[in-house]
Amino acid sequence: MTARFGMRVSALLVTTAITVGAGAATAFAEPTAPDISQATEQRTLLKGSTTASYYWDDASGRAGDTGLPASGISMRKGLAASPSWPLMTEGYVVYKGKKAPFFVGDRGPGAPSNNGIMLDLDAKTFADLTGGTFNSSTLGVDGNGGQGHIKVQYVITKWGNGVGKKNHPVAFSTGAWGRKDTNPAKPPVDVLAVAAKKKAAEEKKAEAAKVAALKEKAEQVEEPKEAGKAAAIAPASLNTDATAATTAAETTSDTSRTGTALALVGGLAVVGGVGYLGRGRIRRAVRR
């Protein structure tokens, strides 16, 4: 919280009112807060760890708050302060397995950032992470054992478009919060995503091998079937040839028998003819 952890940088000139002419004030419309409900499911642009504190600036002047946050967006759950990240940067923190989304809507902490406290969470989010409750009267957190600092893992899922360092946070005193960064940190390799992609490729390869094995097995089953069909056709063909050969043999035999019979008949006819022609001679011989 601001009262405990040092001065907070005020940027009210761009978020409250500007005095024009003879003291007339013109108020700016409050910017729209980003929707961070899906922050934990978006692509990781940066991840790291830091010590986080908490605060709640509701412009009431209580508990040392410095007024409206630098972004011009009124204090709310999920609004965090960073000493160097661009305003409207989005991400989430992880503490003891609990995840909490945030967006950078303010600058700070100031002096504590020199000691490694690089993130100021809103008091309600801090209470949720530490098991405490937000006290609307004191703007503090009760029931969490007096914790004011916690070690958190942070993940950035979207960079803000304005000035500020798009990399691991640095102390406010460096002035990085006021410079445009055109060379953001290279997104880290998502180990889980790479592992998931590798697993999917392996599963696809295994499935292809399984399909190929099944196909080969099916082909091996088909080969005996085809061989059986050929074997079944071959005997039938042989039987047909044998039948044809038998028929041919029988036909030849019949022809032979017919020829023999005809030859015999012919022989008998010749003998008979000779006998007939020689009857006279025989008779004459007998008479002599």
Side-chain angles (χ1 to χ4, degrees):
M1 190 165 67
T2 303
R4 295 178 184 176
F5 309 126
M7 69 91 178
R8 171 165 303 287
V9 178
S10 177
L12 301 182
L13 292 178
V14 296
T15 59
T16 53
I18 297 177
T19 301
V20 181
T26 302
F28 285 95
E30 181 175 316
T32 302
D35 178 8
I36 56 175
S37 60
Q38 303 300 317
T40 58
E41 300 175 8
Q42 295 175 358
R43 182 187 179 196
T44 298
L45 300 179
L46 180 72
K47 59 169 53 177
S49 63
T50 189
T51 299
S53 54
Y54 75 88
Y55 81 110
W56 191 271
D57 277 1
D58 63 355
S60 66
R62 295 176 296 165
D65 81 50
T66 57
L68 197 66
S71 64
I73 298 173
S74 57
M75 195 68 204
R76 65 193 62 203
K77 186 175 182 178
L79 188 154
S82 169
S84 60
W85 288 334
L87 294 177
M88 310 309 285
T89 290
E90 300 173 28
Y92 62 92
V93 293
V94 182
Y95 176 70
K96 293 185 176 181
K98 296 180 180 180
K99 293 183 179 181
F102 70 86
F103 73 96
V104 177
D106 204 357
R107 287 294 175 215
S113 63
N114 294 326
N115 298 317
I117 302 173
M118 297 292 185
L119 187 62
D120 227 356
L121 298 171
D122 72 274
K124 292 183 179 180
T125 294
F126 195 92
D128 287 347
L129 292 174
T130 58
T133 57
F134 173 65
N135 188 323
S136 59
S137 297
T138 63
L139 305 184
V141 176
D142 299 333
N144 70 346
Q147 294 184 88
H149 301 79
I150 56 176
K151 192 76 172 181
V152 298
Q153 302 292 319
Y154 61 78
V155 176
I156 300 301
T157 58
K158 181 180 180 181
W159 292 115
N161 293 325
V163 294
K165 186 177 180 63
K166 297 178 180 179
N167 211 314
H168 296 291
V170 294
F172 181 82
S173 59
T174 64
W177 56 269
R179 295 190 292 269
K180 184 74 174 180
D181 188 351
T182 57
N183 186 30
K186 183 179 180 180
V189 175
D190 191 332
V191 177
L192 293 178
V194 171
K197 187 175 181 180
K198 183 178 180 181
K199 183 179 179 181
E202 291 175 347
E203 290 177 347
K204 185 176 180 180
K205 184 177 180 180
E207 185 65 23
K210 184 178 179 181
V211 171
L214 291 174
K215 184 178 179 181
E216 182 179 356
K217 186 176 181 180
E219 290 175 350
Q220 291 174 351
V221 172
E222 285 297 324
E223 287 178 359
K225 289 184 178 179
E226 294 298 328
K229 289 180 181 179
I233 293 173
S237 176
L238 292 174
N239 290 337
T240 301
D241 293 342
T243 302
T246 302
T247 302
E250 291 176 349
T251 301
T252 302
S253 178
D254 291 342
T255 302
S256 177
R257 286 196 296 270
T258 301
T260 302
L262 290 175
L264 181 60
V265 172
L268 291 175
V270 170
V271 172
V274 171
Y276 178 79
L277 292 175
R279 280 187 308 175
R281 295 178 181 178
I282 295 172
R283 288 177 180 172
R284 285 196 293 270
V286 169
R287 287 177 182 174
R288 289 178 185 174

